[in-house]
Amino acid sequence: LDELQRRVDDITLGDFSLVFNTARIEALELENLVLVARATLVSALAREESRGAHTREDFPARDDGHWLRHTLYSLQGDMLDYKPVRLKPLTVDSFRPKERSY
């Protein structure tokens, strides 16, 4: 993935038009896809369990005690942070209907 990132960083465009520049759009989409792939890869390698579509042969069991949390990825240094999963629904009381007066 690092090699792919270096190759994407070296992409240059020959078309500098500002209207209907599909080459530019495709280059931006490719850059975005590589960044999303990096976030997915770093997060998946850190998650040492199997859950749903995330399956690892080296960690076949689900581990709710340690991994029932959201993973937050930061591109700066491939850093990961976590926040808890809230199992209790958050509710807001609805507004009672009333006549509009101006």
Side-chain angles (χ1 to χ4, degrees):
L1 195 56
D2 289 335
E3 174 59 27
L4 183 60
Q5 180 67 53
R6 281 191 287 278
R7 290 175 62 190
V8 168
D9 291 343
D10 290 339
I11 290 176
T12 58
L13 300 175
D15 182 2
F16 296 102
S17 62
L18 299 177
V19 180
F20 299 113
N21 190 338
T22 56
R24 180 177 173 78
I25 291 171
E26 290 172 355
L28 290 170
E29 288 175 348
L30 176 62
E31 181 181 29
N32 183 53
L33 286 170
V34 170
L35 292 174
V36 170
R38 179 173 211 86
T40 303
L41 177 68
V42 170
S43 300
L45 288 174
R47 184 171 285 269
E48 298 176 340
E49 69 156 359
S50 290
R51 174 186 304 265
H54 175 85
T55 303
R56 291 185 58 169
E57 292 180 2
D58 52 344
F59 297 98
R62 179 177 167 142
D63 181 6
D64 284 347
H66 188 249
W67 288 107
L68 192 59
R69 57 188 179 169
H70 297 288
T71 302
L72 306 171
Y73 171 78
S74 174
L75 183 60
Q76 303 297 327
D78 285 335
M79 297 297 296
L80 295 176
D81 196 9
Y82 303 95
K83 72 178 203 177
V85 173
R86 295 183 184 180
L87 298 175
K88 181 180 175 187
L90 301 176
T91 59
V92 176
D93 293 335
S94 60
F95 293 95
R96 298 186 56 77
K98 64 180 183 177
E99 183 178 345
R100 294 183 186 182
S101 60
Y102 302 99

